[in-house]
């Protein structure tokens, strides 16, 4: 197999020689800036630095406790029944705005992004690293395509991903269908390529099944929030519920020693960061994955530092 370094060198030269066409982007979790201190400041304004962002480790990879979510770079918005949100965000998140957001993350101590795998993300991350001088870590979200289940994983490795995991929706489906062997071979392939391997899930049954089968995952990604916002139920719901069983998630994770990245901690913008961050961290999360607009980065980073520095009542020890 061709070395990872050689493939990255090829990609570097290719991306720097290619023209950058405009494209559309979306967001993951809209943490309501109107409720945050400094929400009326101009885009990009930084809250005075309160100190470095605490970090943890997954394998040899050192990552910030607050991680930048990546749906914004791929044109997807959890917007419930609001049909205009995705088109609006596609116009807002130009290439330059994406790079600005990632730079603000690094300036505020957030050294890691979780991004999906597609041609847009590959072009953007390569340009950011090799054209913009960025250094952010990339944890890659992989699907397992029916025609070639290895393809996403190998593209992630070739593209320079620092870690990779199986998409939560895919893992939900596979666990429901009892396709644990297919999840296991995906984890094996990721680890064989020298990077940490994880599995995501919206259902608590996903990490339970993975651990029950003794799968050697390096980290879990599991949705987690208190489910106390109006659009979380009762049914029917509009793309607004990502954690059906917060108590069961908390109880399972309390007994697991596998590093846990919690996502959907703000319910796609329905929960204030001060509430969502504290809830997730006190109940055992090791890291928080949060989608952020550029004008939210400094505030979210400040909130995360404050919460992490507070007297958190954690029943679960830090596992990363």
């Amino acid at each position: 197999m061709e070395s990872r370094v050689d493939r990255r060198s090829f990609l570097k030269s290719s991306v720097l020689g290619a023209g950058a066409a405009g494209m559309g982007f979306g967001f993951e979790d809209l943490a309501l800036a109107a409720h945050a201190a400094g929400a009326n400041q101009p885009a990009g304004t930084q809250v005075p630095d309160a100190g470095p962002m605490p970090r943890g480790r997954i394998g040899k990879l050192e990552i910030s406790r607050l991680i930048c979510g990546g749906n914004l770079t791929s044109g997807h918005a959890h917007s419930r029944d609001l049909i205009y949100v995705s088109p609006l965000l596609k116009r807002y998140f130009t290439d330059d705005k994406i790079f600005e957001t990632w730079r603000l993350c690094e300036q505020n101590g957030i050294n890691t992004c979780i991004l999906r795998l597609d041609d847009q993300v590959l072009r953007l991350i390569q340009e950011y690293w090799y054209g913009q001088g960025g250094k952010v870590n990339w944890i890659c979200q992989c699907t397992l395509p029916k025609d070639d289940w290895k393809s996403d994983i190998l593209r992630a490795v070739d593209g320079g991903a620092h870690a990779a995991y199986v998409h939560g929706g895919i893992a939900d489906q596979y666990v429901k269908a009892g396709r644990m062997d297919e999840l296991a071979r995906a984890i094996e392939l990721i680890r064989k390529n020298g990077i940490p391997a994880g599995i995501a899930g919206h259902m608590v049954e996903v990490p339970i099944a993975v651990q029950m089968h003794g799968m050697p995952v390096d980290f879990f990604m599991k949705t987690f929030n208190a489910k106390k916002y109006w659009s979380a139920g009762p049914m029917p719901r509009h793309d607004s519920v990502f954690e059906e069983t917060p108590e069961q998630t908390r109880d399972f994770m309390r007994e697991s020693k596998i590093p846990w990245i919690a996502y959907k901690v703000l319910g796609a913008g329905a929960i204030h960061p001060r509430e969502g961050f504290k809830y997730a961290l006190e109940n055992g999360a090791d890291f928080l994955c949060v989608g952020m607009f550029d004008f939210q980065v400094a505030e979210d980073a400040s909130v995360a530092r404050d919460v992490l520095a507070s007297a958190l009542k954690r029943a679960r020890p830090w596992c990363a």
Side-chain angles (χ1 to χ4, degrees):
M1 180 182 291
E2 185 183 2
S3 76
R4 192 174 173 212
V5 173
D6 289 344
R7 291 193 296 255
R8 289 190 68 174
S9 297
F10 171 76
L11 286 166
K12 175 180 177 180
S13 62
S14 298
V15 72
L16 291 178
M23 59 178 58
F25 303 95
F27 78 107
E28 181 168 0
D29 296 329
L30 173 54
L32 296 175
H35 291 176
N40 294 323
Q41 295 174 346
T45 299
Q46 294 188 53
V47 173
D49 191 358
M53 178 68 66
R55 296 183 180 184
R57 286 185 178 273
I58 294 178
K60 296 180 179 180
L61 184 63
E62 184 177 72
I63 60 180
S64 49
R65 297 269 181 215
L66 181 61
I67 299 168
C68 182
N71 276 358
L72 75 169
T73 61
S74 298
H76 181 68
H78 289 297
S79 51
R80 300 167 178 87
D81 56 345
L82 301 177
I83 62 176
Y84 66 86
V85 176
S86 286
L88 174 64
L89 295 176
K90 287 176 183 178
R91 286 161 176 78
Y92 180 80
F93 282 111
T94 62
D95 286 10
D96 286 343
K97 184 57 70 177
I98 295 295
F99 296 147
E100 178 187 355
T101 303
W102 290 346
R103 281 193 296 271
L104 284 167
C105 283
E106 294 199 69
Q107 290 167 12
N108 284 275
I110 302 167
N111 77 337
T112 302
C113 292
I114 292 178
L115 310 172
R116 69 188 297 175
L117 181 72
D118 56 31
D119 290 342
Q120 296 176 3
V121 168
L122 283 168
R123 179 183 65 78
L124 284 166
I125 197 65
Q126 297 290 325
E127 169 61 23
Y128 184 66
W129 285 337
Y130 303 121
Q132 304 279 327
K135 300 183 183 299
V136 71
N137 295 322
W138 173 26
I139 298 178
C140 182
Q141 172 185 286
C142 298
T143 61
L144 304 177
K146 292 181 180 179
D147 56 341
D148 182 3
W149 68 270
K150 298 180 180 180
S151 60
D152 266 20
I153 295 169
L154 295 178
R155 286 186 79 200
V157 173
D158 289 351
H162 297 87
Y165 69 95
V166 178
H167 183 287
I170 300 296
D172 289 346
Q173 294 173 23
Y174 280 36
V175 167
K176 281 183 180 178
R179 299 166 65 180
M180 300 305 296
D181 289 347
E182 294 172 70
L183 290 176
R185 70 182 183 182
I187 293 300
E188 181 182 17
L189 181 60
I190 295 169
R191 299 188 84 198
K192 276 186 175 179
N193 278 278
I195 59 176
I199 287 185
H202 303 85
M203 311 185 313
V204 71
E205 289 83 0
V206 171
I208 290 173
V210 167
Q211 193 153 299
M212 184 183 303
H213 283 76
M215 211 174 293
V217 294
D218 297 297
F219 63 98
F220 284 130
M221 283 191 63
K222 174 65 182 71
T223 52
F224 193 56
N225 63 60
K227 200 185 174 186
K228 293 181 179 178
Y229 49 96
W230 73 266
S231 57
M235 296 283 279
R237 61 179 183 259
H238 297 285
D239 189 26
S240 61
V241 179
F242 315 102
E243 169 60 284
E244 293 281 9
T245 56
E247 292 80 12
Q248 291 93 323
T249 296
R250 176 200 62 205
D251 293 347
F252 169 78
M253 288 299 182
R254 185 176 296 167
E255 303 303 320
S256 174
K257 305 304 180 187
I258 296 172
W260 172 22
I261 301 173
Y263 67 117
K264 309 300 185 190
V265 297
L266 303 181
I271 303 168
H272 191 279
R274 290 196 181 277
E275 299 171 13
F277 292 3
K278 183 176 182 180
Y279 180 85
L281 290 169
E282 284 203 326
N283 286 285
D286 296 300
F287 304 95
L288 308 173
C289 174
V290 179
M292 292 174 274
F293 285 93
D294 55 307
F295 53 82
Q296 294 175 310
V297 172
E299 177 66 22
D300 284 356
S302 180
V303 170
R305 284 193 296 266
D306 287 348
V307 173
L308 285 161
S310 67
L312 289 170
K313 300 175 182 178
R314 287 177 64 94
R316 181 181 191 252
W318 294 101
C319 295

